[in-house]
Structure formats: C-alpha cells, structure tokens
Amino acid sequence: FSNSLSFQTSWVWSKNLSNAIGSDSTVFASDNVSVPTDRFNLGLDYGNVSTTRRHRWLTTFTYQLPGEHWATSSFAGHVAKAAVAGWQFSGIGVVQTGQFLTPITGGTTDPSGTNVDARANDRPDYTGTSYGNLPDEQRTINTWFDRSAFVTPKSNIGRFGMAGPGQLIGPN
C-alpha cells in the first residue's frame, strides 16, 4: 500500500492456433464432444481457438478506507471510526477483444456426402468478397458480420466447406 492505495495492471497479447478444435470449434476434439471435420485432412480444423482473446487488459485496485488512526474525542467520532476502520474498497476492470467465432451452415446441406450433420457442424464456403468481419464503422448490434461473405455449399459435392474455425471476431 502507498497512501492506502494499491493497484496492479497487466496487458496480454496472445495467439492460440490449433488443429485439435474439431468441427464444433468451441471445444477441443479430444474432449469427447467434437470430432475432426475430415480425419484425412486435419488442416480443415486449423484456426484460432475460440476461448483465446487477442488482447486483454486487466486492472485491479484496493483502497484502505481511513479511520484506523483517527484520534477521536467525541461519541460521533468513535462511532465513525468503528464504522469505517479496517474496511477496504476494491475493484476489477477488464477490457478485451472479442471471442473468435466460427460460421456454420446450420445443417441445411451435406456437402461432403458423408452424413457429417449427424455428428458435427458444417461450415460454409467463402464467396470471395471478404472473410466475414465488417470494418468497425459498419458494425451494428444487428449486423456485426458480413453474411454475404459466406455461401452454403450444395449437397454431395465431395468436400467440406472451406471457412476455417475462429475466422470471425465477435463483439468486445
């Protein structure tokens, strides 16, 4: 403590890539929840891990309320000293970038022809207009991503959708 105030602050810049995410993209494939999208091409599941935040700033503080060393001579002073002496006021503040998200088709088609919807999530293809993240000035509560950047692949074309896991960045 210095003058009854203590604080700590930290900033983290992180990058966590994996091919063990699987088709669900919210857990690792080895967690018995998700399976690889294509066990012969694990590169389809390589991307940003959803629980990683690219930037995170954390600050904590504690303030020791005055009162322990008060010299009181009145009854009201004794009551005030008893009420606040030894108490602390503290807080935590966090500012971080958005979570990595993965676009999915919602199981409307089976592009690989492997009945993958019975065990996993299908991912869409890119249209080539963007990677799905809108510029900051175009984002709103209702329109955070560029939905025109993705298209649902047709059924039985013999491959999986090409949008990778963790390609979208969610709200901060």
Side-chain angles (χ1 to χ4, degrees):
F1 283 105
S2 176
N3 294 326
S4 300
L5 178 65
S6 171
F7 71 94
Q8 179 180 5
T9 189
S10 63
W11 172 70
V12 176
W13 177 39
S14 64
K15 186 171 187 176
N16 188 3
L17 300 171
S18 176
N19 70 347
I21 298 168
S23 58
D24 189 0
S25 77
T26 57
V27 294
F28 289 106
S30 61
D31 289 341
N32 296 324
V33 178
S34 182
V35 294
T37 302
D38 181 356
R39 65 186 179 133
F40 300 108
N41 182 5
L42 296 179
L44 282 176
D45 293 329
Y46 185 76
N48 293 302
V49 176
S50 65
T51 55
T52 302
R53 304 298 179 119
R54 186 71 73 219
H55 301 278
R56 182 180 178 127
W57 178 57
L58 172 73
T59 296
T60 62
F61 69 90
T62 303
Y63 178 70
Q64 178 80 37
L65 293 175
E68 262 183 38
H69 305 292
W70 284 351
T72 60
S73 58
S74 67
F75 177 73
H78 286 289
V79 171
K81 181 177 180 178
V84 299
W87 284 82
Q88 293 179 342
F89 178 68
S90 60
I92 301 172
V94 177
V95 178
Q96 61 191 7
T97 55
Q99 181 178 8
F100 292 108
L101 305 171
T102 302
I104 59 173
T105 63
T108 56
T109 65
D110 183 14
S112 64
T114 60
N115 195 25
V116 75
D117 288 331
R119 62 179 176 85
N121 290 317
D122 279 335
R123 294 195 293 258
D125 280 334
Y126 291 114
T127 60
T129 57
S130 74
Y131 287 106
N133 291 302
L134 288 171
D136 290 341
E137 63 274 2
Q138 294 180 13
R139 292 179 177 172
T140 66
I141 296 284
N142 297 323
T143 310
W144 195 265
F145 305 112
D146 181 8
R147 297 180 127 212
S148 68
F150 305 103
V151 64
T152 302
K154 295 180 181 174
S155 290
N156 295 317
I157 58 174
R159 64 170 178 79
F160 297 92
M162 300 307 287
Q167 298 301 308
L168 299 174
I169 301 172
N172 296 341

